[in-house]
Amino acid sequence: MVFTNSMSIIGVMYFIFLSAVKMDKSRIITAARNSMNVGLTCFIVPLIILFSLLYIFRNSITGIHGGSFHLFLSASSSLSYFPVITDAASELKMLTSELGTIAMSCAILHEILGWFLLSLSLILQGGDPRHSIQSVVAMLVLMLFIILVLRLMVQWIIRRIQEGKPVGELYIKAILVGPLIMGFLSDMIGATILPGALIMGLIIPAGPPLGSALVEKSEIIISELIMPFMYIRVGQLTNVYSITDWKAFTTIQFILLAGFLGKIAGCLSSLLCSNNGGVRNSFLLGLFLNTKGVIELSVILRWRARKLIDEPFYATLVIYYIVVTAIVTPLLQIFNKPQARLEATSSMKNTTRSLQATMLTSELRIMCCFHYEENVHGIISLLKSCNSTGISPMCVYAVHLIDLVGRAAPLLHPYSSQRKRFKENSTDRIMKALKTSLIKGSSSQVTIQPFRVIAPYNTIHESICRLAQDKYIPLVLVPFPENLDTHGRKSALHSFNILMQAYAPCTVGILVDRSLPRIFCSIYFTYNIGVLFLGGPDDREALALVSRISGHPGVSITVLRIDLRGEKFENQSEKYLDDCLVSEFKARNIGNTSVVCRKLVAENTMQVVDSIRSFENNYDLVIVGKQRGPSSQLEREMLPWVENKELGTIGDMVASPDCCGGMVSVLVMHCAVGGHVNVTGSSSMTNSDERSRFISSSSSFDNLDHDLSVENVKLADKKRDVTICTQEIGKSGRNAYGTLVPSHFSSRAQHMSPYKEHLGHSALG
């Protein structure tokens, strides 16, 4: 019994310590301020209800000792503790969801209120007032010692940790002893063991290098070996047969249920009055904030140990916490579906954010995701080739993706390289490389917006999709995880790419980077690109990107159109769109000696495979589309041999060692307009379904078509060669999906006949 009690205390102490380590201290005040209204309402409303009912039914409730205990019971039941909320959000995969973010912000505010109530309890706990004042002063002295002395020692340890090297075992052991000592001192002062362990954890920065190392080395031992003793202790002290006064039991449960409903009512009133959420989300937030866990159990254990409550009352509280958790958790799992919301978002009209719908004379917004510093070089080469000019600038949203290790809550925020830090981190080096290569000493018009996302890899795509939607980004570039086994997260990165293709509201490009490091020079930059065009929405997106790249003087482009003879099209408009876009590309590049177009007619799938495998090995990059469609003969016959589903049949073939010796970089394009992709990488929507869905919503583009037509007519007096494209947009500026087709893809095949005799070797036949 004594051993179980001691281990339970140690388990709770280290649980609080690790929760404080994983808390992002720099955002405590910001998060509390952002959730001030809903957080305070969710605390004050149940507090008033609980305290009023406890006072009204004080004669019917037995088992409570202490005059001010009604206030502490009401406050404790009204608070939502940050470690409990983050643990629940992690288990329910809600860390990156909007609901989880609001709940954790409210929990941070409640933590601040809890610290204030702890200080108040030291004063009101009874006894000699002089002793209470001495306890408060001693606690303040202990806090100052931890903050002023131990915090400096922690910073000294962080400065001694070498980049990429593991943290020394001596440092880990010394820091892990700290919570035991500080918890013992805070308990000896007259408070609980929790404040000492909490403050000790708050002085350690979250994340790498020190915070992540502490969590990785101790979390499993604490959660799997030590914490079960706390649950055993709770069960040993719970005697349901001690409940004999069922009237008091019913009264207590009624009061606690009223507090439960009061917190939901507080969420509803606060969010609805501020127009920040609907009834459903407000109700789910109220359920989430009613989640009970380790902190609540440790609090009632302490009440029982100090005989503030008797055995029946303790058993009543335990039963209430178990029932609430058993009800709240399934309800959150059933009604909160962040993946379903992303899927619904990706099936709306904003899926027309594609390169085909981006004007050549408008700003091109590209989001580039980086997992590690090794991903920077290949993406920089691709961005350098995108031909950003004064009339066609480029805005790069550089996002460094970091796995949630050593932190409790996810984070998505703009990254400032000017902020002072202990030492330069990987994000600093990534952003510095981008600025040095794309901006400094370059005449190109490039703007870089740096971001950093810290979240679990199984849900990090939600943050990226929301950011792409908010910033109206037509293209997201993500690296393919190759030769990264040393990092130990290759499978998680594969899953991330598949989820991005499934839920992104724009085009996703997966870059398989096999290029050698090079010195970037804005004047002598050269790049050789090959394009495999077999048709379909994904290949058209690839051609749209190449059309923008073709204006770069240092880039050579070879387009190989492969026509599989005998393949039938369910939707003839697909073939028509392919022909129109290819013809438009040819017309744009008349006289451009850096662009070569060829055509290959294949009798069967094997000829297609042989032609791709014999592709010349002199390209820096090969761009392909992920898939043609579910009815494609090539897709059906080659799918069993595909190793990486996210690359598609052609992309996986080009990226294999059998093609070009496995030394060529590959960019695989997938267009969100071309159909929804499930997590296995296969198409889940037919072309007819997708066409009818987008045609039904195409009426919203009528005014936009008219505005573009009028605007381009004004420019026709200055640029005679724009007239044909302008007239075409006014007549039929919408493709088969209801997507507005920009000027560089809008002219029809009948305008191409005057130019055919001039194409020479660049003609596709």
Side-chain angles (χ1 to χ4, degrees):
M1 195 75 173
V2 176
F3 176 77
T4 303
N5 186 33
S6 301
M7 293 299 292
S8 66
I9 294 174
I10 294 174
V12 173
M13 188 185 306
Y14 276 108
F15 177 82
I16 298 297
F17 169 72
L18 290 182
S19 299
V21 169
K22 293 187 287 186
M23 185 184 297
D24 192 353
K25 294 81 179 175
S26 61
R27 300 183 64 84
I28 290 178
I29 303 300
T30 303
R33 184 173 60 248
N34 293 339
S35 62
M36 183 69 69
N37 292 334
V38 61
L40 285 178
T41 307
C42 294
F43 171 73
I44 294 175
V45 172
L47 176 65
I48 295 175
I49 293 175
L50 286 171
F51 185 75
S52 300
L53 292 177
L54 285 173
Y55 181 79
I56 294 172
F57 294 100
R58 62 185 182 278
N59 296 326
S60 302
I61 301 175
T62 58
I64 297 179
H65 308 286
S68 60
F69 184 75
H70 289 90
L71 176 62
F72 296 134
L73 176 60
S74 304
S76 177
S77 300
S78 303
L79 290 173
S80 298
Y81 296 97
F82 181 77
V84 176
I85 297 299
T86 53
D87 272 7
S90 178
E91 291 181 6
L92 297 172
K93 296 182 180 181
M94 294 170 57
L95 285 173
T96 56
S97 66
E98 183 180 3
L99 179 63
T101 303
I102 298 176
M104 286 184 286
S105 299
C106 294
I108 290 177
L109 177 62
H110 287 193
E111 285 287 338
I112 298 175
L113 295 174
W115 299 338
F116 171 77
L117 293 174
L118 176 63
S119 302
L120 185 63
S121 66
L122 291 176
I123 299 175
L124 301 179
Q125 62 184 354
D128 188 4
R130 183 181 301 177
H131 181 267
S132 300
I133 296 175
Q134 290 176 351
S135 298
V136 174
V137 173
M139 192 66 207
L140 292 175
V141 172
L142 180 62
M143 292 174 58
L144 291 176
F145 172 77
I146 295 175
I147 295 173
L148 298 180
V149 179
L150 297 184
R151 181 169 172 268
L152 295 177
M153 296 177 65
V154 169
Q155 293 177 357
W156 177 80
I157 291 174
I158 294 175
R159 284 192 292 266
R160 290 181 60 87
I161 299 174
Q162 299 181 8
E163 182 75 19
K165 299 287 185 178
V167 182
E169 294 292 335
L170 180 61
Y171 297 144
I172 298 294
K173 294 175 182 177
I175 293 175
L176 289 178
V177 173
L180 290 175
I181 299 175
M182 295 301 112
F184 170 75
L185 291 177
S186 63
D187 187 66
M188 185 178 64
I189 288 172
T192 67
I193 60 172
L194 304 184
L198 176 67
I199 300 172
M200 184 68 192
L202 289 176
I203 65 173
I204 299 175
L210 188 56
S212 299
L214 286 171
V215 173
E216 288 179 346
K217 291 182 179 295
S218 61
E219 188 172 33
I220 294 180
I221 297 175
I222 293 171
S223 60
E224 301 296 334
L225 295 179
I226 302 179
M227 281 301 295
F229 286 100
M230 197 274 291
Y231 302 120
I232 294 173
R233 179 64 174 167
V234 172
Q236 287 178 339
L237 295 178
T238 304
N239 183 12
V240 294
Y241 297 104
S242 63
I243 304 175
T244 56
D245 189 352
W246 293 103
K247 180 180 178 181
F249 174 83
T250 306
T251 303
I252 296 171
Q253 295 294 344
F254 165 75
I255 294 173
L256 294 176
L257 178 62
F260 179 92
L261 298 176
K263 184 167 290 188
I264 296 178
C267 293
L268 287 170
S269 60
S270 178
L271 292 179
L272 292 179
C273 291
S274 59
N275 294 323
N276 288 331
V279 175
R280 180 176 178 274
N281 290 335
S282 302
F283 176 75
L284 290 176
L285 178 61
L287 288 179
F288 203 173
L289 293 177
N290 274 301
T291 304
K292 306 300 179 182
V294 174
I295 306 300
E296 286 85 358
L297 293 177
S298 64
V299 169
I300 63 174
L301 276 175
R302 181 174 177 81
W303 290 346
R304 183 73 182 93
R306 294 201 170 188
K307 298 182 179 180
L308 295 175
I309 57 177
D310 61 6
E311 190 176 25
F313 195 90
Y314 169 82
T316 302
L317 292 178
V318 171
I319 293 173
Y320 169 75
Y321 290 160
I322 293 175
V323 172
V324 166
T325 305
I327 294 175
V328 168
T329 304
L331 289 177
L332 290 174
Q333 290 177 329
I334 293 172
F335 293 106
N336 183 67
K337 299 290 185 182
Q339 295 284 8
R341 289 200 302 272
L342 282 176
E343 185 173 353
T345 300
S346 66
S347 62
M348 295 169 62
K349 289 183 293 185
N350 53 21
T351 53
T352 57
R353 293 175 195 160
S354 60
L355 294 173
Q356 297 178 62
T358 303
M359 303 293 292
L360 280 177
T361 55
S362 64
E363 181 186 56
L364 175 62
R365 298 185 177 186
I366 301 178
M367 179 184 293
C368 302
C369 299
F370 304 94
H371 301 295
Y372 309 105
E373 297 177 40
E374 297 93 325
N375 307 139
V376 176
H377 173 263
I379 292 182
I380 287 179
S381 299
L382 180 57
L383 294 176
K384 292 278 287 185
S385 68
C386 285
N387 191 32
S388 58
T389 61
I391 62 173
S392 179
M394 181 170 59
C395 181
V396 177
Y397 290 85
V399 183
H400 186 198
L401 309 181
I402 303 175
D403 194 12
L404 187 69
V405 178
R407 292 177 180 266
L411 183 66
L412 190 160
H413 67 108
Y415 188 79
S416 175
S417 58
Q418 305 297 326
R419 181 181 174 184
K420 293 184 179 180
R421 296 176 178 84
F422 291 128
K423 58 172 61 176
E424 188 181 56
N425 55 38
S426 59
T427 308
D428 289 324
R429 290 188 289 271
I430 290 174
M431 302 307 168
K432 185 181 297 183
L434 287 172
K435 291 181 179 179
T436 303
S437 303
L438 298 177
I439 297 180
K440 293 184 179 179
S442 175
S443 59
S444 60
Q445 301 294 320
V446 181
T447 304
I448 298 178
Q449 301 288 341
F451 284 84
R452 185 166 66 165
V453 179
I454 304 175
Y457 263 105
N458 57 356
T459 58
I460 198 171
H461 67 281
E462 299 176 12
S463 302
I464 301 301
C465 291
R466 280 195 293 268
L467 183 61
Q469 180 182 350
D470 294 340
K471 301 299 181 181
Y472 300 95
I473 295 173
L475 175 61
V476 176
L477 295 177
V478 296
F480 180 78
E482 190 173 43
N483 299 327
L484 295 177
D485 297 292
T486 55
H487 297 281
R489 298 192 179 98
K490 190 171 182 179
S491 61
L493 301 184
H494 277 291
S495 300
F496 166 75
N497 289 345
I498 293 175
L499 291 171
M500 281 298 300
Q501 289 180 332
Y503 297 106
C506 58
T507 298
V508 177
I510 299 180
L511 179 62
V512 184
D513 182 24
R514 290 169 179 165
S515 58
L516 298 175
R518 61 195 296 182
I519 299 176
F520 294 103
C521 180
S522 60
I523 301 177
Y524 302 103
F525 176 78
T526 59
Y527 209 52
N528 195 2
I529 297 177
V531 182
L532 294 174
F533 187 91
L534 285 86
D538 294 347
D539 281 8
R540 291 197 294 271
E541 278 297 283
L543 197 60
L545 177 62
V546 173
S547 181
R548 183 179 289 267
I549 294 175
S550 62
H552 197 292
V555 178
S556 300
I557 299 173
T558 301
V559 179
L560 176 61
R561 184 177 187 182
I562 301 176
D563 187 6
L564 184 58
R565 180 171 294 177
E567 185 169 14
K568 298 179 180 179
F569 290 86
E570 286 187 1
N571 181 11
Q572 290 300 322
S573 62
E574 286 288 319
K575 183 71 166 63
Y576 179 69
L577 284 172
D578 294 341
D579 294 338
C580 289
L581 267 63
V582 170
S583 300
E584 179 67 33
F585 178 76
K586 292 187 299 182
R588 278 187 46 80
N589 291 282
I590 294 175
N592 188 350
T593 58
S594 299
V595 177
V596 177
C597 301
R598 299 185 182 133
K599 182 176 181 180
L600 173 66
V601 178
E603 298 293 337
N604 50 46
T605 303
M606 289 306 301
Q607 290 188 9
V608 176
V609 174
D610 292 338
S611 63
I612 293 175
R613 287 182 175 176
S614 61
F615 210 46
E616 299 175 359
N617 189 15
N618 58 351
Y619 297 107
D620 297 305
L621 177 68
V622 175
I623 304 178
V624 300
K626 180 187 176 185
Q627 60 190 15
R628 295 197 65 187
S631 60
S632 172
Q633 174 185 344
L634 182 65
E635 297 281 340
R636 294 195 307 268
E637 294 181 0
M638 295 302 299
L639 189 61
W641 286 272
V642 175
E643 295 182 0
N644 301 293
K645 300 294 185 181
E646 67 268 34
L647 299 182
T649 54
I650 304 300
D652 184 76
M653 189 187 311
V654 178
S656 66
D658 297 333
C659 181
C660 303
M663 297 299 294
V664 64
S665 298
V666 183
L667 177 64
V668 180
M669 305 287 287
H670 174 68
C671 180
V673 179
H676 181 66
V677 178
N678 59 28
V679 293
T680 62
S682 61
S683 177
S684 62
M685 179 178 291
T686 63
N687 289 335
S688 60
D689 292 337
E690 128 194 305
R691 184 175 70 258
S692 62
R693 174 165 57 84
F694 284 99
I695 288 178
S696 64
S697 61
S698 63
S699 60
S700 61
F701 291 95
D702 291 342
N703 294 332
L704 182 58
D705 292 352
H706 175 72
D707 294 340
L708 287 173
S709 179
V710 173
E711 187 66 26
N712 284 333
V713 167
K714 292 179 181 178
L715 296 175
D717 294 335
K718 296 182 180 180
K719 295 185 178 181
R720 181 72 175 173
D721 54 342
V722 182
T723 307
I724 295 177
C725 299
T726 305
Q727 294 172 350
E728 252 337 277
I729 291 180
K731 294 178 181 178
S732 56
R734 197 181 304 111
N735 64 13
Y737 304 108
T739 306
L740 180 66
V741 180
S743 61
H744 62 289
F745 285 145
S746 61
S747 58
R748 296 303 187 221
Q750 58 263 32
H751 298 294
M752 298 301 110
S753 56
Y755 305 109
K756 285 186 178 179
E757 59 182 354
H758 300 289
L759 292 177
H761 68 280
S762 297
L764 297 178

